[in-house]
């Protein structure tokens, strides 16, 4: 993958990821506290944009947490919830089939077999698309807005995904996404490092600067990146693992250790996690990267460009500048 980060991603097993999310679909909403909160953050940021939206994709939609908000924000737009897991989309269908929404339609196995054409104009406003972010069944330049909430960390080649996003976006269309950064699950990573230093048990996450470079390499312009940190707390370390299992989060590297790890190492990891206990709770830290960019060429492209003009701004400053335009 063309990035120079020390946190370079390892190849991931897409089938493994799909299976875990499919299995977790019924329990996902109950455990997805952080995902719900970040979806609300994305919706707040959409309030600050002026892009005209007729067609919007929610990629990695899961159970439709963000799709629901996007459809409410753009009630006249065609909204497509796209996910690798059909079982997740079936859960999304239940949410989006509520009375305030028109009924949803599940379209399976569309990758490589359909394109966004005139016939889409007659379908319901919300539709569920079972497809991979690497291969979207939409025509070039057919989409006004792409949103993606905490999906990108499950892709080992952000350049390829961003290029696919760029392909389907119309000129001046917008991408808004969130993903996890390198500090995510730092406590769990350190605990496993002490218990089992020979094997990697926590996925690696790319930092926001490398994501910004990947956006520009993929043909996006004016990327804006910032970070929020969230801390969830638990009575015991095992609670962290139970929540991760409930939302389908898994160690997905293709070269992960196979077979049972043994009770001794697992117990040692739980004991090592206790070093982080504060005020009778153990934390789980999540670094959430927010990014948005436009389907327009950057003036100065490439990872070796002069970064002296790079400006990082707060959400408040972003809001002020947007409203003054």
């Amino acid at each position: 993958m063309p990035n120079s980060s020390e946190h370079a991603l390892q190849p991931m097993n897409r089938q493994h990821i799909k299976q875990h999310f499919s299995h977790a679909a019924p329990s996902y909403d109950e455990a997805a506290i952080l995902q719900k909160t970040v979806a609300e953050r994305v919706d707040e940021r959409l309030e600050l944009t002026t892009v005209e939206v007729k067609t919007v994709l929610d990629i990695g939609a899961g159970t439709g947490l963000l799709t629901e908000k996007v459809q409410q924000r753009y009630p006249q737009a065609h909204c497509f919830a796209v996910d690798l897991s059909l079982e997740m989309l079936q859960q999304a269908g239940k949410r989006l089939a509520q009375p305030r929404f028109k009924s949803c339609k599940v379209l399976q196995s569309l990758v490589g077999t359909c394109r966004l054409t005139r016939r889409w104009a007659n379908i319901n406003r919300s539709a569920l698309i079972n497809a991979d972010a690497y291969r979207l069944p939409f025509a070039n330049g057919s989409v006004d807005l792409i949103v993606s909430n905490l999906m990108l960390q499950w892709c080992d080649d952000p350049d390829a995904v961003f290029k696919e996003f760029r392909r389907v976006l119309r000129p001046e269309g917008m991408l808004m996404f969130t993903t996890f950064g390198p500090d995510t699950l730092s406590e769990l990573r350190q605990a496993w490092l002490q218990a089992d230093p020979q094997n990697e048990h926590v996925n690696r996450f790319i930092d926001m600067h490398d994501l910004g470079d990947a956006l520009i390499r993929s043909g996006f312009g004016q990327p804006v990146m910032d970070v929020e940190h969230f801390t969830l707390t638990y009575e015991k370390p095992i609670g962290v693992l139970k929540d991760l299992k409930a939302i389908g989060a898994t160690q997905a590297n293709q070269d992960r250790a196979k077979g049972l790890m043994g009770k001794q190492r697992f117990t040692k990891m739980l004991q090592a996690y206790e070093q982080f206990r504060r005020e009778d709770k153990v934390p789980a830290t999540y670094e959430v990267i927010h990014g948005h960019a436009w389907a327009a060429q950057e003036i100065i492209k490439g990872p070796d460009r002069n970064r002296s003009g790079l400006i990082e701004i707060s959400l408040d400053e972003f809001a002020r500048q947007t409203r003054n335009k």
Side-chain angles (χ1 to χ4, degrees):
M1 187 178 70
N3 79 72
S4 59
S5 171
E6 61 178 320
H7 301 285
L9 303 181
Q10 298 295 314
M12 290 187 178
N13 186 323
R14 301 294 288 167
Q15 187 62 29
H16 183 72
I17 293 169
K18 179 179 179 179
Q19 289 173 350
H20 274 259
F21 277 109
S22 296
H23 185 264
S27 63
Y28 185 87
D29 279 356
E30 184 177 353
I33 298 171
L34 178 62
Q35 286 73 12
K36 293 175 185 176
T37 299
V38 179
E40 292 170 358
R41 295 285 205 276
V42 174
D43 186 50
E44 290 170 1
R45 290 171 183 238
L46 288 173
E47 177 72 29
L48 307 176
T49 68
T50 57
V51 62
E52 182 180 355
V53 177
K54 296 179 180 179
T55 303
V56 54
L57 308 185
D58 179 7
I59 301 180
T63 62
L65 294 172
L66 180 56
T67 315
E68 180 180 27
K69 296 181 182 301
V70 168
Q71 186 66 90
Q72 289 174 314
R73 181 166 296 284
Y74 305 109
Q76 302 307 315
H78 289 297
C79 186
F80 296 87
V82 181
D83 202 273
L84 186 63
S85 165
L86 179 59
E87 287 76 8
M88 281 286 189
L89 289 175
Q90 289 170 340
Q91 296 297 317
K94 297 176 184 178
R95 171 177 280 109
L96 301 177
Q98 296 178 40
R100 64 181 178 276
F101 296 102
K102 294 186 178 181
S103 61
C104 298
K105 182 178 181 182
V106 177
L107 307 174
Q108 302 180 40
S109 304
L110 292 178
V111 174
T113 64
C114 79
R115 286 292 179 265
L116 190 63
T117 61
R118 189 175 303 168
R119 70 185 182 91
W120 288 94
N122 299 318
I123 73 168
N124 295 319
R125 289 183 302 113
S126 295
L128 311 180
I129 308 295
N130 182 208
D132 197 320
Y134 285 98
R135 293 181 297 167
L136 298 172
F138 296 90
N140 297 348
S142 60
V143 175
D144 303 300
L145 172 66
I146 291 177
V147 295
S148 182
N149 185 37
L150 299 178
M151 179 283 298
L152 195 64
Q153 68 271 6
W154 299 109
C155 300
D156 56 19
D157 189 351
D159 285 74
V161 174
F162 285 154
K163 285 176 182 176
E164 184 67 349
F165 289 179
R166 179 66 179 84
R167 180 186 68 78
V168 303
L169 276 172
R170 66 166 172 81
E172 304 300 329
M174 189 177 75
L175 165 65
M176 183 173 287
F177 68 92
T178 61
T179 188
F180 288 133
D183 287 344
T184 297
L185 296 173
S186 57
E187 301 90 355
L188 182 60
R189 186 185 306 278
Q190 292 178 56
W192 269 121
L193 186 62
Q194 294 178 43
D196 187 19
Q198 301 305 316
N199 293 300
E200 194 167 22
H201 292 267
V202 180
N203 293 331
R204 299 181 189 178
F205 305 101
I206 191 169
D207 70 35
M208 72 172 183
H209 299 291
D210 288 329
L211 285 170
D213 283 337
L215 284 167
I216 291 173
R217 286 195 298 268
S218 303
F220 283 94
Q222 305 174 59
V224 177
M225 314 291 295
D226 65 279
V227 168
E228 282 188 285
H229 285 86
F230 298 85
T231 302
L232 304 184
T233 58
Y234 297 84
E235 297 288 340
K236 298 179 180 180
I238 193 67
V240 180
L241 301 180
K242 286 181 177 179
D243 266 7
L244 291 174
K245 181 178 181 181
I247 64 172
T250 178
Q251 212 287 334
N253 292 348
Q254 288 186 358
D255 58 355
R256 70 189 186 282
K258 303 297 193 298
L260 299 176
M261 72 184 74
K263 184 177 179 180
Q264 184 176 1
R265 276 183 290 177
F266 186 73
T267 301
K268 186 176 180 181
M269 182 276 293
L270 295 178
Q271 292 171 344
Y273 206 120
E274 287 290 339
Q275 68 187 293
F276 302 106
R277 184 176 292 277
R278 299 291 184 273
E279 298 180 356
D280 205 32
K281 299 281 186 179
V282 293
T285 298
Y286 291 86
E287 178 187 352
V288 176
I289 296 172
H290 293 264
H292 78 261
W294 301 87
Q297 207 71 17
E298 183 78 344
I299 296 174
I300 303 175
K301 285 192 63 179
D304 298 323
R305 70 192 188 283
N306 182 352
R307 300 181 69 93
S308 61
L310 179 66
I311 301 175
E312 297 179 14
I313 62 174
S314 67
L315 178 58
D316 290 340
E317 177 64 15
F318 168 63
R320 188 188 67 78
Q321 292 185 13
T322 301
R323 287 171 179 148
N324 289 339
K325 283 186 178 181

